[in-house]
Amino acid sequence: MRSIIGYLVCLVVALTIGYTFSPKVAPQAEVLATRPDRVQINGLLNLGARVVAVGERGSILLSDDQGVSWQAASVATQRNATLTAVLALDDKRLLAVGHDGWILRSLDAGSSWQEMRYDGDLGEPLLGIWTGGGDKVLAFGSFGKFYQSTDAGQSWAPQTLDIDSAHLNSMAGGSDGRRMLVGEQGLVLRTDDAGKHWHTLPAFYSGSLFGIVRLSADNWVTYGMRGHVFVSHDFGDSWTQINVGNQLPLYGHVVLPDHTGLVIVGAGSSVVRLDAQGELVGVGRLAGLGTLTSATMVGSRLLVGGERGVLQGSSGSAAALAATQATQ
């Protein structure tokens, strides 16, 4: 009898261990849709009538009521790989990029998505995507990965940059051909001919830069690790650091309506507000929201994404909140 009981105990333990370490099925999209606070969000996109959020485990969430409720989009080939950024070519055609070189495309404003590219063997993430208009798109990421599409994201060709395999994090530019691309170890690349020739700017900061913003042809802002924010008034020839009063890393931003400035968000629910010339307006925190990675404006409200999902920054204008709670 004791031996039988012993065998039964061993069987239960073995089954428990087997269940614990066996691969688990990712939460169903329907569950994530009803609980958008349980999935990390890395990118937000406001289409006007719809807001799109992308994040971990291949999550793509849609809101047609300005962020009040969310539904899951349909992904034809779900890889469960983290998505890092989302972009609109127009009000219907969208692109999203993520880990394992994953690129998705939607032709119906985000309701359904098809896979355009995936490289699970290499396993390196794409961290951003950018377009200057039309069907030409650029995607970039870890170890200098830089791809170009001339057919609205259907096919992609690698491009070469002389950057010694540095990670590329963010890109900005305008229709006049002026663009900048930033990455790790203070890397800043600049072009004035729509990307035909890229030049590395002299280093002015040794840490990673996570974002670059074009405010005008001459006024640019970049930000990143340890609360570092820099502004240039001469298209990157010189940079001045803005003291935001803390060392919390900054990860994402949104340009305010009518180009009246921008809001940058980051760790510790931090919010930094700059005006249209890149001058500091205010610094504040949206209490209890954790690390913020992305933001978009919905009317006068700031919608933020991060480790706790998609959240409304405040009951009123969070941009105004950052100004009224200004601290240097």
Side-chain angles (χ1 to χ4, degrees):
M1 179 62 70
R2 290 182 179 178
S3 61
I4 294 176
I5 294 175
Y7 288 136
L8 289 175
V9 170
C10 291
L11 179 61
V12 171
V13 171
L15 290 174
T16 301
I17 294 175
Y19 173 79
T20 301
F21 292 99
S22 63
K24 303 298 189 299
V25 177
Q28 295 298 312
E30 291 79 4
V31 175
L32 294 177
T34 57
R35 294 299 304 274
D37 58 326
R38 290 196 174 183
V39 57
Q40 176 166 320
I41 296 300
N42 298 318
L44 286 171
L45 176 65
N46 187 0
L47 299 174
R50 165 172 287 179
V51 181
V52 182
V54 302
E56 65 175 329
R57 299 194 296 270
S59 302
I60 303 179
L61 305 180
L62 312 172
S63 176
D64 295 326
D65 53 13
Q66 297 188 325
V68 176
S69 62
W70 296 85
Q71 304 80 39
S74 171
V75 180
T77 305
Q78 179 55 266
R79 302 287 187 174
N80 290 315
T82 293
L83 293 170
T84 57
V86 59
L87 170 78
L89 300 181
D90 50 42
D91 59 351
K92 294 295 184 182
R93 299 181 300 167
L94 312 183
L95 294 166
V97 299
H99 289 201
D100 298 337
W102 202 22
I103 300 178
L104 297 172
R105 184 171 185 251
S106 173
L107 300 177
D108 53 12
S111 295
S112 61
W113 296 79
Q114 294 75 42
E115 181 177 282
M116 297 293 106
R117 185 182 184 278
Y118 181 75
D119 189 352
D121 293 332
L122 189 60
E124 295 177 351
L126 293 172
L127 301 173
I129 185 168
W130 184 86
T131 180
D135 292 344
K136 189 173 181 179
V137 194
L138 298 168
F140 46 88
S142 63
F143 303 105
K145 296 295 180 292
F146 196 52
Y147 299 98
Q148 178 176 284
S149 172
T150 57
D151 55 9
Q154 297 182 73
S155 61
W156 296 84
Q159 305 293 299
T160 301
L161 291 176
D162 185 17
I163 54 173
D164 195 26
S165 297
H167 300 333
L168 301 171
N169 297 325
S170 181
M171 184 174 175
S175 58
D176 59 358
R178 289 188 168 192
R179 303 173 185 173
M180 285 197 204
L181 184 60
V182 300
E184 66 174 338
Q185 297 179 357
L187 175 67
V188 180
L189 299 172
R190 180 177 69 180
T191 178
D192 58 8
D193 57 9
K196 295 178 181 178
H197 303 91
W198 288 92
H199 306 282
T200 302
L201 297 183
F204 55 89
Y205 172 56
S206 60
S208 291
L209 296 169
F210 296 132
I212 179 73
V213 190
R214 172 182 165 136
L215 296 174
S216 68
D218 291 322
N219 295 328
W220 298 70
V221 172
T222 186
Y223 59 85
M225 290 295 293
R226 297 187 292 278
H228 281 85
V229 180
F230 302 91
V231 61
S232 173
H233 300 298
D234 50 18
F235 186 37
D237 285 338
S238 61
W239 296 85
T240 302
Q241 183 176 352
I242 299 174
N243 181 15
V244 300
N246 63 60
Q247 295 188 345
L248 297 171
L250 299 166
Y251 295 120
H253 71 271
V254 58
V255 176
L256 297 177
D258 300 322
H259 296 275
T260 55
L262 73 150
V263 170
I264 307 173
V265 299
S269 306
S270 59
V271 179
V272 177
R273 167 78 188 276
L274 305 179
D275 67 15
Q277 285 69 49
E279 300 300 321
L280 183 65
V281 174
V283 179
R285 293 195 188 186
L286 304 175
L289 303 189
T291 294
L292 303 177
T293 61
S294 49
T296 190
M297 295 299 298
V298 179
S300 63
R301 294 181 297 110
L302 183 69
L303 195 67
V304 294
E307 65 174 327
R308 299 184 183 178
V310 190
L311 301 156
Q312 294 187 28
S314 70
S315 57
S317 170
L321 177 69
T324 56
Q325 294 182 345
T327 176
Q328 294 262 348

